[in-house]
Amino acid sequence: MSLVVVGSVAYDGVETPHGTVERMLGGAATYIALTASFFTKTSLVGVVGNDFAEEDRALLKEHDVDLEGLEAADGKTFFWKGVYSKDMNERETLDTQLNVFAEFDPKLPEVYREQPYLFLGNIHPGLQKGVHEQMHNARFVGGDTMNFWIEGEAEALRAAIRNWDFLLINDSEARQLSGEYNLRKAAEEIHKMGPHTVVIKRGEYGAILFRPEGFFVAPGFLLETVYDPTGAGDSFAGGFMGYLAEQGVTDIGMATHQHLRKAMIYGSVMGSFCCEQFGVGRFRTLERADIDERFEEFRKFTEF
Amino acid sequence: MSLVVVGSVAYDGVETPHGTVERMLGGAATYIALTASFFTKTSLVGVVGNDFAEEDRALLKEHDVDLEGLEAADGKTFFWKGVYSKDMNERETLDTQLNVFAEFDPKLPEVYREQPYLFLGNIHPGLQKGVHEQMHNARFVGGDTMNFWIEGEAEALRAAIRNWDFLLINDSEARQLSGEYNLRKAAEEIHKMGPHTVVIKRGEYGAILFRPEGFFVAPGFLLETVYDPTGAGDSFAGGFMGYLAEQGVTDIGMATHQHLRKAMIYGSVMGSFCCEQFGVGRFRTLERADIDERFEEFRKFTEF
């Protein structure tokens, strides 16, 4: 069994108060697949150009990420460049070159279509829906979205998420999607749109899991230095879904509270590691023991 | 034994998205004394004018707040008026009339001077120091401050907090005081200034307790509706210090982790109740059982 992850594979240029990197491996699907791979077998669906480096492909393979679904198209890989504010709570996009990603039309290898776990990274909601429909046996389906689709593709987005089990979304986007400022009310509105499980990300403040029966608050980790927050939300997604898959939770509706809460903490753990180096740097050397150690740190600074 | 609270007693005019109140009881010392009174005997040091209403005095007395230290001066009570932004994360002061508070020179009744617990609400750091010096037996001393003193009275503030056991401060002010953006580093710098215990408030996101040996993160409560956040930080202070006094912790340096963590949660609990009605409204009917019930709710939504 495998977790199928769909989304962008990219090169990023990033400038933070701690330095500048002109070009490094990035993209939502890269972060999600890499972080989930510490917990479960992962399969990647995306597209790259012929500039995609062999060493980047090798990194994914080292983490046992199946790349049969990673299409190699003629052209350049998606490129994004941004600069973070001094406090890193804001970022400005300096350059976006969609390149081969502009024509991305995800086609799933046969073996992927039989998998129970699907995470739909932030792409056009119509494509998300199309992928979901290719997955005959998907029993645990979630995804992410962004303001761009909430504003411009509201109807397609509603249609896509109607059958999702969970939606992962940041606080401002949850407010935008629901029309409610208060997060409890926002989550209630989103439940009505389909997903019974809503995870609202709050950046450095952590994330909240909302289910009709209650909520759970996961704090962010207090890093001494945040080098680069790019991909932290996607790393949260990988930790959250990866852990549940590892535990054999094939139906999130039936997951125990204990599993869901731990998944939230593993999400926060992976998000925190992500910020410790530029890009996916930290995941090159990270080991499962480091993850469990930080999980225990979360317990230490929250238990009362 | 009693907790001596020094600070402003005021009338507030407040406008939030949920309504407008032209004039109601307020002031940091009022909130701190009222909330601490649910846990421990409290004594108030402040000044009011001859417009101070008998019913407001009665409310404090009903909560067994000792008012021998509440000076009645000839003139009007301190008045503040402000308006909150739609998301309540910003507020703008519309009017400040210091009135009798301009000449506030706290004089402590004899019996107050023997008490072990002292909380110095946000007033001029020179006055805070003067009060502290009047307390011969103070063994557990903490206080609050604000950007106005950090900017304009830096030296007096340094001198005041040097001998405090703990400083309660919001995140932006902690950054300003320490010159460090990262909160762990900010707390480290503040430890060097004197207080071994630093509590950094993060508004709706809760608060963090920093001690040289480690930190503890208390989340904010997710209210469905925030009516009025005025006084929430002071209510946190009252819950935090009140609970420790109730537990007989006369030396915060020797407090167990368990006591400190619970004090943080009781602080968050009292801050959350504060927001449920305008001004001190919620504390008119609140009972200790409600407090303990919400404390257990905090456990439920954070335990994993």
Side-chain angles (χ1 to χ4, degrees):
Chain A
M1 291 208 300
S2 169
L3 163 60
V4 177
V5 176
V6 186
S8 59
V9 176
Y11 283 114
D12 291 342
V14 164
E15 193 180 326
T16 85
H18 295 284
T20 300
V21 175
E22 291 298 337
R23 185 181 169 90
M24 62 187 181
L25 179 61
T30 306
Y31 282 101
I32 300 165
L34 261 182
T35 48
S37 77
F38 288 89
F39 302 91
T40 190
K41 175 76 193 150
T42 307
S43 302
L44 182 59
V45 179
V47 63
V48 293
N50 31 33
D51 59 345
F52 195 66
E54 199 43 54
E55 65 183 47
D56 294 324
R57 197 178 289 271
L59 175 70
L60 291 161
K61 280 190 186 157
E62 273 164 35
H63 284 83
D64 205 21
V65 176
D66 189 291
L67 299 182
E68 195 189 334
L70 183 63
E71 187 188 337
D74 194 25
K76 279 182 150 188
T77 302
F78 179 23
F79 180 76
W80 173 83
K81 186 175 177 178
V83 56
Y84 286 86
S85 62
K86 195 170 170 261
D87 64 11
M88 303 218 208
N89 286 324
E90 309 285 336
R91 74 176 186 194
E92 190 192 339
T93 292
L94 300 177
D95 192 7
T96 305
Q97 299 169 21
L98 287 177
N99 299 329
V100 297
F101 196 60
E103 304 296 319
F104 182 41
D105 180 17
K107 285 167 291 294
L108 274 59
E110 266 318 310
V111 59
Y112 285 27
R113 298 179 188 221
E114 307 304 320
Q115 302 308 317
Y117 301 105
L118 172 63
F119 190 87
L120 297 150
N122 168 32
I123 53 175
H124 188 293
L127 295 181
Q128 290 179 318
K129 190 159 182 285
V131 170
H132 190 174
E133 286 164 357
Q134 292 179 50
M135 300 277 291
H136 317 296
N137 289 321
R139 279 177 290 163
F140 182 165
V141 179
D144 197 358
T145 190
M146 73 183 293
N147 53 1
F148 186 72
W149 311 121
I150 297 170
E151 286 157 23
E153 294 286 349
E155 209 171 313
L157 182 61
R158 294 287 188 119
I161 70 174
R162 194 165 296 136
N163 297 311
W164 291 7
D165 298 298
F166 80 101
L167 174 68
L168 187 78
I169 191 167
N170 77 31
D171 45 7
S172 66
E173 287 157 358
R175 288 171 172 138
Q176 195 178 14
L177 177 62
S178 65
E180 290 283 353
Y181 182 80
N182 181 282
L183 295 183
R184 284 175 75 163
K185 291 180 184 164
E188 271 171 44
E189 287 306 312
I190 297 171
H191 287 322
K192 292 179 198 161
M193 297 175 195
H196 53 69
T197 301
V198 176
V199 176
I200 298 183
K201 297 178 283 180
R202 303 202 282 181
E204 63 171 308
Y205 302 111
I208 312 174
L209 171 86
F210 289 97
R211 303 251 288 190
E213 71 271 19
F215 60 87
F216 173 74
V217 177
F221 190 74
L222 293 174
L223 288 168
E224 290 249 9
T225 308
V226 173
Y227 281 90
D228 173 16
T230 311
D234 297 317
S235 299
F236 182 99
F240 177 83
M241 190 130 176
Y243 171 75
L244 289 171
E246 179 192 50
Q247 298 301 309
V249 175
T250 45
D251 179 346
I252 187 175
M254 300 295 287
T256 65
H257 287 194
Q258 198 57 13
H259 275 143
L260 289 168
R261 285 157 178 249
K262 286 188 172 177
M264 289 290 290
I265 300 298
Y266 277 110
S268 276
V269 164
M270 299 311 281
S272 75
F273 280 123
C274 181
C275 299
E276 290 187 346
Q277 289 184 29
F278 278 85
V280 300
R282 185 64 183 90
F283 302 119
R284 293 179 194 276
T285 57
L286 190 70
E287 296 190 7
R288 179 58 193 258
D290 303 322
I291 295 170
D292 290 324
E293 194 180 309
R294 183 154 296 174
F295 182 92
E296 287 308 317
E297 282 187 70
F298 268 79
R299 201 186 288 288
K300 276 189 204 149
F301 72 75
T302 57
E303 211 167 40
F304 61 89
Chain B
M1 290 209 299
S2 169
L3 162 59
V4 176
V5 176
V6 186
S8 58
V9 177
Y11 284 115
D12 290 342
V14 164
E15 194 181 325
T16 85
H18 296 283
T20 299
V21 175
E22 290 298 337
R23 184 181 169 89
M24 62 187 183
L25 179 61
T30 305
Y31 282 100
I32 300 165
L34 261 183
T35 48
S37 78
F38 287 90
F39 302 90
T40 190
K41 173 77 192 149
T42 307
S43 302
L44 182 59
V45 179
V47 62
V48 293
N50 30 35
D51 60 342
F52 195 66
E54 197 45 51
E55 65 182 49
D56 292 326
R57 197 178 289 271
L59 175 70
L60 292 161
K61 278 187 185 161
E62 273 163 34
H63 285 83
D64 207 21
V65 176
D66 189 292
L67 299 182
E68 195 189 333
L70 183 63
E71 189 188 334
D74 195 25
K76 280 182 149 186
T77 302
F78 179 25
F79 180 77
W80 173 83
K81 187 175 176 178
V83 57
Y84 286 86
S85 63
K86 194 168 170 261
D87 64 11
M88 303 220 208
N89 286 325
E90 308 286 334
R91 76 177 185 192
E92 189 193 339
T93 292
L94 299 177
D95 193 6
T96 304
Q97 299 168 21
L98 287 176
N99 299 328
V100 297
F101 196 61
E103 302 297 318
F104 182 42
D105 181 16
K107 285 168 291 291
L108 273 60
E110 267 317 312
V111 62
Y112 285 28
R113 299 181 187 219
E114 307 303 321
Q115 302 310 318
Y117 301 105
L118 173 62
F119 190 87
L120 298 150
N122 167 33
I123 53 175
H124 188 292
L127 294 181
Q128 290 178 319
K129 189 157 183 284
V131 169
H132 191 174
E133 285 165 357
Q134 292 177 52
M135 301 275 292
H136 316 297
N137 289 321
R139 277 177 290 163
F140 181 165
V141 179
D144 197 357
T145 192
M146 71 184 292
N147 53 0
F148 186 72
W149 311 121
I150 296 170
E151 288 157 21
E153 294 287 348
E155 209 170 313
L157 181 62
R158 293 288 187 119
I161 70 174
R162 193 165 299 134
N163 297 310
W164 292 6
D165 299 297
F166 80 100
L167 174 68
L168 187 77
I169 191 167
N170 76 32
D171 45 7
S172 65
E173 289 158 356
R175 288 169 172 140
Q176 195 178 13
L177 177 63
S178 65
E180 290 283 354
Y181 183 81
N182 181 281
L183 295 183
R184 285 176 75 163
K185 290 179 183 164
E188 270 172 44
E189 287 307 310
I190 297 171
H191 288 319
K192 291 179 197 160
M193 298 175 195
H196 53 69
T197 301
V198 176
V199 176
I200 298 183
K201 296 177 284 180
R202 301 203 282 181
E204 63 172 307
Y205 302 110
I208 312 173
L209 171 86
F210 289 98
R211 305 250 288 190
E213 71 270 19
F215 60 87
F216 173 75
V217 177
F221 189 74
L222 293 176
L223 288 168
E224 289 247 10
T225 308
V226 172
Y227 281 90
D228 172 17
T230 310
D234 298 317
S235 299
F236 182 99
F240 178 82
M241 190 129 176
Y243 171 76
L244 289 171
E246 180 191 50
Q247 298 301 310
V249 175
T250 46
D251 180 346
I252 188 175
M254 299 296 286
T256 63
H257 285 193
Q258 197 59 11
H259 275 144
L260 289 167
R261 286 156 179 250
K262 286 188 172 179
M264 289 291 290
I265 300 298
Y266 277 109
S268 276
V269 164
M270 299 311 280
S272 74
F273 280 123
C274 181
C275 299
E276 289 189 346
Q277 291 185 26
F278 279 86
V280 300
R282 185 64 183 89
F283 302 120
R284 294 179 194 276
T285 57
L286 189 71
E287 295 189 9
R288 180 57 194 261
D290 303 322
I291 296 170
D292 290 324
E293 196 180 309
R294 183 154 297 173
F295 181 93
E296 286 308 317
E297 283 186 69
F298 268 80
R299 200 186 290 288
K300 276 188 205 151
F301 72 74
T302 58
E303 213 167 39
F304 61 88

